[in-house]
Amino acid sequence: MSAGGDHLVRTFRREETGYRWDQVGVHAYNAPGTVSNRITKQILFHHDDTLCSELRYFETQPGGWSALERHDHVHAVLVLRGSGRVLVGSEVTAIREHDLVYIPPQTWHQFYADPEEALGFLCLVNGERDRPSRPDAEELSALESDPVIREVIRY
Ligand code: MN
């Protein structure tokens, strides 16, 4: 979306398949080396020279989840639809529409849609950012030593 262009407004619509915006592409989301499930990604605002952030919308179908990962960059998340749970560090919290979630640097995180409901959330990130890393065997067993975490994580 560029200033002076003729597409400064992109109309929102609710479709059977999920939330959509005019002229915004929908991508199946599986970042390299990550495992996620039934989740799509839409880039609502790309970063450029005048905006150093990117705003994305992720939508997870009922029962789906995002990748279990961590990285240096932070996420500022606003839940836009539905309900589910989120793992942030060692905490698992129920989330629903309009809740805010902050993911600090190098903090394990994963989003889970409830079984009966899609979970959609806006995620603000730096335009320039490091690649996510996934837990290795040692990190996984450390995570799984916490029964609360063991119960929710998917990978
Ligand atoms: Mn992430």
Side-chain angles (χ1 to χ4, degrees):
M1 194 175 304
S2 60
D6 50 355
H7 305 296
L8 299 180
V9 176
R10 292 179 177 175
T11 303
F12 169 77
R13 57 187 191 277
R14 283 182 178 80
E15 289 190 355
E16 198 94 338
T17 48
Y19 282 12
R20 296 291 182 266
W21 289 264
D22 283 347
Q23 300 172 343
V24 174
V26 181
H27 310 281
Y29 184 59
N30 274 302
T34 71
V35 177
S36 53
N37 183 281
R38 285 166 283 165
I39 184 165
T40 56
K41 174 186 184 181
Q42 299 176 71
I43 301 175
L44 305 183
F45 294 97
H46 288 268
H47 69 103
D48 63 22
D49 292 344
T50 59
L51 179 69
C52 59
S53 302
E54 206 169 88
L55 186 63
R56 303 91 50 84
Y57 175 70
F58 293 91
E59 198 169 85
T60 309
Q61 293 307 301
W65 61 85
S66 67
L68 174 60
E69 62 179 33
R70 68 178 178 179
H71 34 64
D72 289 335
H73 64 275
V74 305
H75 291 314
V77 170
L78 167 62
V79 180
L80 209 58
R81 72 173 296 190
S83 61
R85 287 182 296 175
V86 64
L87 165 70
V88 185
S90 58
E91 297 209 339
V92 177
T93 310
I95 49 172
R96 61 182 298 272
E97 208 170 292
H98 303 158
D99 287 342
L100 301 173
V101 181
Y102 181 75
I103 314 283
Q106 290 302 336
T107 304
W108 295 115
H109 56 282
Q110 190 166 40
F111 289 82
Y112 316 92
D114 277 345
E116 307 297 331
E117 201 171 4
L119 176 70
F121 53 93
L122 297 170
C123 179
L124 182 66
V125 285
N126 274 351
E128 292 190 5
R129 57 190 180 274
D130 61 319
R131 286 196 165 282
S133 67
R134 299 195 59 221
D136 60 23
E138 202 173 310
E139 291 164 333
L140 264 181
S141 50
L143 282 164
E144 291 188 320
S145 67
D146 182 331
V148 174
I149 295 178
R150 185 174 57 234
E151 194 248 317
V152 294
I153 55 172
R154 303 282 184 275
Y155 52 88

PDB file of all heavy atoms in Angstrom, residues 29 56 58 66-71 73-75 103 107 109-111 123 125 132, ligand 1:
ATOM      1  N   TYR A  29       0.762 -20.843   6.007  1.00  0.00           N
ATOM      2  CA  TYR A  29       1.927 -20.407   6.749  1.00  0.00           C
ATOM      3  C   TYR A  29       2.707 -21.569   7.328  1.00  0.00           C
ATOM      4  O   TYR A  29       2.252 -22.271   8.208  1.00  0.00           O
ATOM      5  CB  TYR A  29       1.519 -19.455   7.880  1.00  0.00           C
ATOM      6  CG  TYR A  29       2.715 -18.902   8.603  1.00  0.00           C
ATOM      7  CD1 TYR A  29       3.673 -18.171   7.919  1.00  0.00           C
ATOM      8  CD2 TYR A  29       2.893 -19.117   9.951  1.00  0.00           C
ATOM      9  CE1 TYR A  29       4.782 -17.671   8.572  1.00  0.00           C
ATOM     10  CE2 TYR A  29       4.005 -18.618  10.610  1.00  0.00           C
ATOM     11  CZ  TYR A  29       4.946 -17.890   9.901  1.00  0.00           C
ATOM     12  OH  TYR A  29       6.032 -17.405  10.552  1.00  0.00           O
ATOM     13  N   ARG A  56       0.784  -8.229  10.407  1.00  0.00           N
ATOM     14  CA  ARG A  56       0.276  -9.441   9.770  1.00  0.00           C
ATOM     15  C   ARG A  56      -0.970  -9.918  10.503  1.00  0.00           C
ATOM     16  O   ARG A  56      -1.139  -9.652  11.690  1.00  0.00           O
ATOM     17  CB  ARG A  56       1.322 -10.572   9.825  1.00  0.00           C
ATOM     18  CG  ARG A  56       2.677 -10.251   9.198  1.00  0.00           C
ATOM     19  CD  ARG A  56       3.686  -9.671  10.150  1.00  0.00           C
ATOM     20  NE  ARG A  56       3.859 -10.422  11.389  1.00  0.00           N
ATOM     21  CZ  ARG A  56       4.663 -11.496  11.532  1.00  0.00           C
ATOM     22  NH1 ARG A  56       5.396 -11.897  10.528  1.00  0.00           N
ATOM     23  NH2 ARG A  56       4.763 -12.117  12.700  1.00  0.00           N
ATOM     24  N   PHE A  58      -2.810 -13.516  11.311  1.00  0.00           N
ATOM     25  CA  PHE A  58      -2.758 -14.974  11.266  1.00  0.00           C
ATOM     26  C   PHE A  58      -4.111 -15.528  11.670  1.00  0.00           C
ATOM     27  O   PHE A  58      -4.735 -15.037  12.613  1.00  0.00           O
ATOM     28  CB  PHE A  58      -1.689 -15.508  12.229  1.00  0.00           C
ATOM     29  CG  PHE A  58      -0.294 -15.150  11.831  1.00  0.00           C
ATOM     30  CD1 PHE A  58       0.300 -13.990  12.305  1.00  0.00           C
ATOM     31  CD2 PHE A  58       0.425 -15.954  10.964  1.00  0.00           C
ATOM     32  CE1 PHE A  58       1.591 -13.649  11.927  1.00  0.00           C
ATOM     33  CE2 PHE A  58       1.720 -15.626  10.583  1.00  0.00           C
ATOM     34  CZ  PHE A  58       2.302 -14.465  11.075  1.00  0.00           C
ATOM     35  N   SER A  66       0.040 -22.461  15.897  1.00  0.00           N
ATOM     36  CA  SER A  66       1.177 -21.834  15.228  1.00  0.00           C
ATOM     37  C   SER A  66       2.441 -22.609  15.587  1.00  0.00           C
ATOM     38  O   SER A  66       2.404 -23.550  16.387  1.00  0.00           O
ATOM     39  CB  SER A  66       1.304 -20.373  15.666  1.00  0.00           C
ATOM     40  OG  SER A  66       1.663 -20.309  17.038  1.00  0.00           O
ATOM     41  N   ALA A  67       3.554 -22.208  14.989  1.00  0.00           N
ATOM     42  CA  ALA A  67       4.817 -22.903  15.253  1.00  0.00           C
ATOM     43  C   ALA A  67       5.300 -22.609  16.672  1.00  0.00           C
ATOM     44  O   ALA A  67       5.114 -21.503  17.192  1.00  0.00           O
ATOM     45  CB  ALA A  67       5.871 -22.469  14.246  1.00  0.00           C
ATOM     46  N   LEU A  68       5.930 -23.601  17.278  1.00  0.00           N
ATOM     47  CA  LEU A  68       6.610 -23.410  18.572  1.00  0.00           C
ATOM     48  C   LEU A  68       8.002 -22.869  18.258  1.00  0.00           C
ATOM     49  O   LEU A  68       8.801 -23.541  17.601  1.00  0.00           O
ATOM     50  CB  LEU A  68       6.697 -24.751  19.298  1.00  0.00           C
ATOM     51  CG  LEU A  68       7.496 -24.784  20.601  1.00  0.00           C
ATOM     52  CD1 LEU A  68       6.924 -23.823  21.632  1.00  0.00           C
ATOM     53  CD2 LEU A  68       7.538 -26.206  21.149  1.00  0.00           C
ATOM     54  N   GLU A  69       8.265 -21.639  18.686  1.00  0.00           N
ATOM     55  CA  GLU A  69       9.498 -20.971  18.261  1.00  0.00           C
ATOM     56  C   GLU A  69       9.896 -19.872  19.227  1.00  0.00           C
ATOM     57  O   GLU A  69       9.134 -19.501  20.126  1.00  0.00           O
ATOM     58  CB  GLU A  69       9.295 -20.359  16.871  1.00  0.00           C
ATOM     59  CG  GLU A  69       8.191 -19.299  16.866  1.00  0.00           C
ATOM     60  CD  GLU A  69       7.961 -18.628  15.520  1.00  0.00           C
ATOM     61  OE1 GLU A  69       8.133 -19.301  14.482  1.00  0.00           O
ATOM     62  OE2 GLU A  69       7.619 -17.431  15.510  1.00  0.00           O
ATOM     63  N   ARG A  70      11.102 -19.365  19.030  1.00  0.00           N
ATOM     64  CA  ARG A  70      11.554 -18.145  19.704  1.00  0.00           C
ATOM     65  C   ARG A  70      12.562 -17.444  18.810  1.00  0.00           C
ATOM     66  O   ARG A  70      13.089 -18.039  17.853  1.00  0.00           O
ATOM     67  CB  ARG A  70      12.136 -18.454  21.076  1.00  0.00           C
ATOM     68  CG  ARG A  70      13.433 -19.218  21.053  1.00  0.00           C
ATOM     69  CD  ARG A  70      13.956 -19.429  22.465  1.00  0.00           C
ATOM     70  NE  ARG A  70      15.192 -20.216  22.415  1.00  0.00           N
ATOM     71  CZ  ARG A  70      15.897 -20.556  23.496  1.00  0.00           C
ATOM     72  NH1 ARG A  70      15.486 -20.199  24.696  1.00  0.00           N
ATOM     73  NH2 ARG A  70      16.999 -21.257  23.364  1.00  0.00           N
ATOM     74  N   HIS A  71      12.816 -16.180  19.116  1.00  0.00           N
ATOM     75  CA  HIS A  71      13.685 -15.346  18.274  1.00  0.00           C
ATOM     76  C   HIS A  71      13.987 -14.062  19.011  1.00  0.00           C
ATOM     77  O   HIS A  71      13.369 -13.771  20.053  1.00  0.00           O
ATOM     78  CB  HIS A  71      13.004 -15.055  16.928  1.00  0.00           C
ATOM     79  CG  HIS A  71      11.508 -14.911  17.015  1.00  0.00           C
ATOM     80  ND1 HIS A  71      10.902 -13.901  17.712  1.00  0.00           N
ATOM     81  CD2 HIS A  71      10.481 -15.688  16.549  1.00  0.00           C
ATOM     82  CE1 HIS A  71       9.580 -14.036  17.636  1.00  0.00           C
ATOM     83  NE2 HIS A  71       9.293 -15.130  16.951  1.00  0.00           N
ATOM     84  N   HIS A  73      13.494 -10.954  17.891  1.00  0.00           N
ATOM     85  CA  HIS A  73      12.492  -9.901  17.712  1.00  0.00           C
ATOM     86  C   HIS A  73      11.261 -10.179  18.576  1.00  0.00           C
ATOM     87  O   HIS A  73      11.007 -11.314  18.962  1.00  0.00           O
ATOM     88  CB  HIS A  73      12.117  -9.723  16.235  1.00  0.00           C
ATOM     89  CG  HIS A  73      11.459 -10.907  15.587  1.00  0.00           C
ATOM     90  ND1 HIS A  73      12.181 -11.948  15.034  1.00  0.00           N
ATOM     91  CD2 HIS A  73      10.150 -11.218  15.389  1.00  0.00           C
ATOM     92  CE1 HIS A  73      11.342 -12.836  14.518  1.00  0.00           C
ATOM     93  NE2 HIS A  73      10.102 -12.420  14.724  1.00  0.00           N
ATOM     94  N   VAL A  74      10.527  -9.117  18.887  1.00  0.00           N
ATOM     95  CA  VAL A  74       9.340  -9.248  19.724  1.00  0.00           C
ATOM     96  C   VAL A  74       8.090  -9.269  18.845  1.00  0.00           C
ATOM     97  O   VAL A  74       8.134  -8.894  17.667  1.00  0.00           O
ATOM     98  CB  VAL A  74       9.235  -8.094  20.761  1.00  0.00           C
ATOM     99  CG1 VAL A  74      10.508  -8.016  21.592  1.00  0.00           C
ATOM    100  CG2 VAL A  74       8.921  -6.774  20.080  1.00  0.00           C
ATOM    101  N   HIS A  75       7.002  -9.744  19.436  1.00  0.00           N
ATOM    102  CA  HIS A  75       5.696  -9.684  18.789  1.00  0.00           C
ATOM    103  C   HIS A  75       4.757  -8.879  19.680  1.00  0.00           C
ATOM    104  O   HIS A  75       4.763  -9.056  20.903  1.00  0.00           O
ATOM    105  CB  HIS A  75       5.051 -11.068  18.669  1.00  0.00           C
ATOM    106  CG  HIS A  75       5.695 -12.006  17.719  1.00  0.00           C
ATOM    107  ND1 HIS A  75       6.090 -11.668  16.450  1.00  0.00           N
ATOM    108  CD2 HIS A  75       5.995 -13.324  17.850  1.00  0.00           C
ATOM    109  CE1 HIS A  75       6.607 -12.732  15.850  1.00  0.00           C
ATOM    110  NE2 HIS A  75       6.567 -13.748  16.672  1.00  0.00           N
ATOM    111  N   ILE A 103       5.096 -10.816  23.251  1.00  0.00           N
ATOM    112  CA  ILE A 103       6.092 -11.890  23.254  1.00  0.00           C
ATOM    113  C   ILE A 103       7.483 -11.250  23.327  1.00  0.00           C
ATOM    114  O   ILE A 103       7.930 -10.642  22.349  1.00  0.00           O
ATOM    115  CB  ILE A 103       6.009 -12.753  21.964  1.00  0.00           C
ATOM    116  CG1 ILE A 103       4.566 -13.132  21.612  1.00  0.00           C
ATOM    117  CG2 ILE A 103       6.940 -13.971  22.080  1.00  0.00           C
ATOM    118  CD1 ILE A 103       3.974 -14.238  22.425  1.00  0.00           C
ATOM    119  N   THR A 107      11.783 -15.809  23.758  1.00  0.00           N
ATOM    120  CA  THR A 107      10.788 -16.425  24.632  1.00  0.00           C
ATOM    121  C   THR A 107       9.978 -17.429  23.811  1.00  0.00           C
ATOM    122  O   THR A 107       9.404 -17.064  22.776  1.00  0.00           O
ATOM    123  CB  THR A 107       9.843 -15.336  25.205  1.00  0.00           C
ATOM    124  OG1 THR A 107      10.637 -14.348  25.870  1.00  0.00           O
ATOM    125  CG2 THR A 107       8.850 -15.928  26.182  1.00  0.00           C
ATOM    126  N   HIS A 109       7.095 -19.439  22.326  1.00  0.00           N
ATOM    127  CA  HIS A 109       5.675 -19.072  22.196  1.00  0.00           C
ATOM    128  C   HIS A 109       4.991 -19.943  21.162  1.00  0.00           C
ATOM    129  O   HIS A 109       5.617 -20.431  20.216  1.00  0.00           O
ATOM    130  CB  HIS A 109       5.504 -17.587  21.864  1.00  0.00           C
ATOM    131  CG  HIS A 109       6.229 -17.141  20.624  1.00  0.00           C
ATOM    132  ND1 HIS A 109       7.577 -16.905  20.599  1.00  0.00           N
ATOM    133  CD2 HIS A 109       5.779 -16.899  19.361  1.00  0.00           C
ATOM    134  CE1 HIS A 109       7.935 -16.527  19.381  1.00  0.00           C
ATOM    135  NE2 HIS A 109       6.865 -16.518  18.601  1.00  0.00           N
ATOM    136  N   GLN A 110       3.713 -20.136  21.377  1.00  0.00           N
ATOM    137  CA  GLN A 110       2.874 -20.905  20.454  1.00  0.00           C
ATOM    138  C   GLN A 110       1.417 -20.557  20.726  1.00  0.00           C
ATOM    139  O   GLN A 110       1.010 -20.447  21.877  1.00  0.00           O
ATOM    140  CB  GLN A 110       3.117 -22.405  20.648  1.00  0.00           C
ATOM    141  CG  GLN A 110       2.478 -23.277  19.579  1.00  0.00           C
ATOM    142  CD  GLN A 110       2.992 -24.704  19.597  1.00  0.00           C
ATOM    143  OE1 GLN A 110       3.188 -25.264  20.678  1.00  0.00           O
ATOM    144  NE2 GLN A 110       3.200 -25.301  18.429  1.00  0.00           N
ATOM    145  N   PHE A 111       0.655 -20.403  19.648  1.00  0.00           N
ATOM    146  CA  PHE A 111      -0.777 -20.080  19.756  1.00  0.00           C
ATOM    147  C   PHE A 111      -1.601 -21.310  19.380  1.00  0.00           C
ATOM    148  O   PHE A 111      -1.261 -22.022  18.428  1.00  0.00           O
ATOM    149  CB  PHE A 111      -1.146 -18.931  18.809  1.00  0.00           C
ATOM    150  CG  PHE A 111      -0.597 -17.591  19.239  1.00  0.00           C
ATOM    151  CD1 PHE A 111       0.715 -17.240  18.948  1.00  0.00           C
ATOM    152  CD2 PHE A 111      -1.396 -16.701  19.929  1.00  0.00           C
ATOM    153  CE1 PHE A 111       1.227 -16.010  19.356  1.00  0.00           C
ATOM    154  CE2 PHE A 111      -0.891 -15.462  20.338  1.00  0.00           C
ATOM    155  CZ  PHE A 111       0.412 -15.115  20.050  1.00  0.00           C
ATOM    156  N   CYS A 123      -0.485  -9.443  14.342  1.00  0.00           N
ATOM    157  CA  CYS A 123       0.848  -9.573  14.929  1.00  0.00           C
ATOM    158  C   CYS A 123       1.755  -8.510  14.322  1.00  0.00           C
ATOM    159  O   CYS A 123       1.997  -8.497  13.117  1.00  0.00           O
ATOM    160  CB  CYS A 123       1.407 -10.971  14.664  1.00  0.00           C
ATOM    161  SG  CYS A 123       3.067 -11.208  15.322  1.00  0.00           S
ATOM    162  N   VAL A 125       5.377  -6.789  13.970  1.00  0.00           N
ATOM    163  CA  VAL A 125       6.809  -7.124  14.096  1.00  0.00           C
ATOM    164  C   VAL A 125       7.661  -6.059  13.414  1.00  0.00           C
ATOM    165  O   VAL A 125       7.175  -5.329  12.549  1.00  0.00           O
ATOM    166  CB  VAL A 125       7.186  -8.471  13.416  1.00  0.00           C
ATOM    167  CG1 VAL A 125       6.724  -9.661  14.207  1.00  0.00           C
ATOM    168  CG2 VAL A 125       6.705  -8.528  11.973  1.00  0.00           C
ATOM    169  N   PRO A 132      13.146 -17.260  13.198  1.00  0.00           N
ATOM    170  CA  PRO A 132      12.773 -18.021  14.393  1.00  0.00           C
ATOM    171  C   PRO A 132      13.637 -19.275  14.531  1.00  0.00           C
ATOM    172  O   PRO A 132      14.074 -19.846  13.534  1.00  0.00           O
ATOM    173  CB  PRO A 132      11.331 -18.440  14.119  1.00  0.00           C
ATOM    174  CG  PRO A 132      10.846 -17.581  13.011  1.00  0.00           C
ATOM    175  CD  PRO A 132      12.061 -17.213  12.206  1.00  0.00           C
TER     176      PRO A 132
HETATM  177 MN    MN B   1       7.202 -15.836  16.531  1.00  0.00          MN
END
